Amino acid sequence: MTINLTYSGDYQQLVSSELEKRLKVIHNNMLNKTGVGSEFLGWHDWPSGVSETFLNEIQQTADTIRQNSDVLVVIGIGGSYLGSKAVIEALTPHFHKHEEIEVLYAGHHVNGEYLAKLMKYLDDKEVTINVISKSGTTTEPALAFRFLQKYMEDRYGEDACSRIIVTTDAQGGSLLSLSKDKGYQRFEVPSDIGGRYSVFTAVGLLPIAVAGFSIFDLIKGASTAEKTFQEFDINTNKAIQYAVIRNQLYNQNYSIEILATFESKLSYLQEWWKQLFGESEGKEQKGIFPASVSFSTDLHSLGQYIQDGQRILFESFLIIEETANDLSVFTADNNNDELNYLSGLTLNEFNLACYEATSSAHLTGKVPQIGISIKKLDEENIGYLLYFYMVSCAYSAYLLDINPFDQPGVEDYKTNIFKILQKPGY
Ligand code: PA5
């Protein structure tokens, strides 16, 4: 299990002995859980420490939900929903009918019509709710939960209690006290793991298991990555290499990174990646702005800007080498569309050619490029990939002398909204 990483420039030229020394300190700080933000490094050795018992407990809960429910509604925002949504979307076949169970989301935005329609949609279905908030105080999911909790109590009466599962911090927050009062089943968000690093905890694992995907394989992939990236070698450790390339491009005034894919099932993985890097690095007027495109679609929209606009962008392609259920171009009798020259080509081969063509066009347009590829979209590969991004993101932020694990800027809008809506105490 591995990922491949390529860079359009000369990697060796980017690494000075001074940079290598800094990286070694960062690396050791992460391993030893010292340094800035180290109280939130719990995710770093989490995959290898996850016990079979814990995974079985999650799986058993998921099996019960799958048996007694048609829909699981996950209430959460930011790191409390993006990880599970990214994995579920990446693994779910296109046009899937959700015959067994459907996982839906709420509380990631505030929209009365959405919530009203969601409750209407749930009316003729059996429902379980998983409300996820580490702090237990985030307004958007708390608001959604107020409505959905009442909906569940109106529908199920006392039985609502067995259909509401809370995932929150073990120490405090109103969600914790509320769940204790009501006797809801509870999973813990470890206090040393922040939201955007929590996909391998119950935050991500329960919804992913409910959707029918193997959390055992996901953790296996993440564990392999954990082990691999413990080795400090700037010539082989790809998490370090990705961080170095990003950092050196940033120093050359490339301030926007575009994560480009040719697979539309990865759109939420792109959202997860944007949150991970944006919220971890974008502080103190520093950091690369993370953006995303989906090709070929965006080659016919943003492709123009990438090719010819301001030279402040670099691209990192995320490539899936093998796709399932591929089609081959067949030979048409009349060849009116003049596509017979493609006969026998699979559509994935077309995409790989398109990747090569796009990459070389954008290189001519002076867009530096990183290529990251995994073999296929399955639990193990995704677990490996997500861990790779997490560890690389931490190196990247530390290289900018930034604490990767806080998000002070997010508080500003929250304080303003409390003032505008006259929350007591504001
Ligand atoms: O990464 C983070 O910590 C944040 O994005 C949080 O996940 C997000 O703000 C939601 O917070 P909470 O889980 O406390 O409701």
Side-chain angles (χ1 to χ4, degrees), residues 37-328:
S38 56
E39 67 279 20
F40 287 110
L41 269 166
W43 58 272
H44 193 259
D45 55 357
W46 175 264
S48 61
V50 169
S51 70
E52 199 78 4
T53 318
F54 170 71
L55 290 179
N56 283 332
E57 192 196 340
I58 301 250
Q59 190 62 53
Q60 270 160 22
T61 306
D63 291 344
T64 307
I65 298 171
R66 284 172 66 81
Q67 272 155 25
N68 70 12
S69 304
D70 304 307
V71 178
L72 171 73
V73 181
V74 175
I75 303 176
I77 196 166
S80 288
Y81 92 104
L82 276 169
S84 69
K85 188 148 168 86
V87 174
I88 293 170
E89 299 256 340
L91 293 173
T92 303
H94 294 289
F95 306 109
H96 181 69
K97 269 187 122 180
H98 301 289
E99 269 147 11
E100 288 178 330
I101 190 160
E102 191 174 8
V103 179
L104 297 175
Y105 291 84
H108 54 306
H109 54 50
V110 177
N111 182 320
E113 192 201 346
Y114 179 91
L115 209 50
K117 289 279 182 207
L118 173 65
M119 290 187 282
K120 187 109 199 84
Y121 180 76
L122 298 178
D123 272 345
D124 57 353
K125 300 174 181 72
E126 298 301 335
V127 184
T128 296
I129 304 271
N130 180 199
V131 54
I132 308 175
S133 174
K134 177 169 179 174
S135 62
T137 54
T138 309
T139 313
E140 290 87 344
L143 251 180
F145 185 50
R146 177 176 276 221
F147 284 96
L148 284 160
Q149 186 187 33
K150 178 161 186 322
Y151 173 87
M152 295 296 279
E153 285 171 355
D154 290 348
R155 252 192 77 177
Y156 290 103
E158 284 189 355
D159 288 349
C161 175
S162 62
R163 289 181 169 270
I164 296 177
I165 297 165
V166 169
T167 308
T168 192
D169 194 277
Q171 313 302 329
S174 34
L175 194 53
L176 179 69
S177 44
L178 185 153
S179 62
K180 282 183 178 166
D181 277 0
K182 295 271 187 182
Y184 296 148
Q185 185 182 353
R186 214 170 53 239
F187 286 102
E188 189 180 316
V189 189
S191 53
D192 57 355
I193 301 185
R196 56 192 176 277
Y197 294 84
S198 69
V199 59
F200 299 123
T201 71
V203 171
L205 295 182
L206 182 60
I208 292 167
V210 170
F213 300 112
S214 169
I215 54 174
F216 298 86
D217 289 350
L218 189 81
I219 292 291
K220 191 172 162 204
S223 282
T224 310
E226 179 193 320
K227 199 159 159 247
T228 306
F229 299 126
Q230 270 172 15
E231 299 297 320
F232 182 83
D233 183 338
I234 54 161
N235 293 315
T236 55
N237 184 320
K238 284 162 187 153
I240 292 179
Q241 291 179 331
Y242 181 45
V244 166
I245 298 166
R246 299 178 81 252
N247 180 263
Q248 296 301 303
L249 288 172
Y250 177 72
N251 290 342
Q252 294 162 34
N253 292 327
Y254 291 100
S255 54
I256 299 175
E257 177 177 11
I258 305 179
L259 181 63
T261 71
F262 286 85
E263 170 55 80
S264 57
K265 285 198 275 184
L266 293 176
S267 67
Y268 268 92
L269 201 141
Q270 289 169 307
E271 294 307 310
W272 173 88
W273 172 88
K274 284 195 270 191
Q275 186 210 356
L276 178 69
F277 280 85
E279 215 173 21
S280 298
E281 262 191 340
K283 290 161 209 169
E284 302 171 27
Q285 278 78 55
K286 294 190 248 181
I288 295 168
F289 183 83
S292 63
V293 288
S294 179
F295 291 156
S296 284
T297 312
D298 291 324
L299 283 174
H300 296 260
S301 59
L302 290 172
Q304 172 59 40
Y305 192 103
I306 299 171
Q307 187 72 44
D308 272 345
Q310 276 195 78
R311 300 300 72 190
I312 49 173
L313 315 166
F314 66 97
E315 233 168 353
S316 62
F317 287 93
L318 174 56
I319 299 299
I320 314 302
E321 287 160 18
E322 291 169 11
T323 57
N325 306 314
D326 207 355
L327 296 175
S328 294

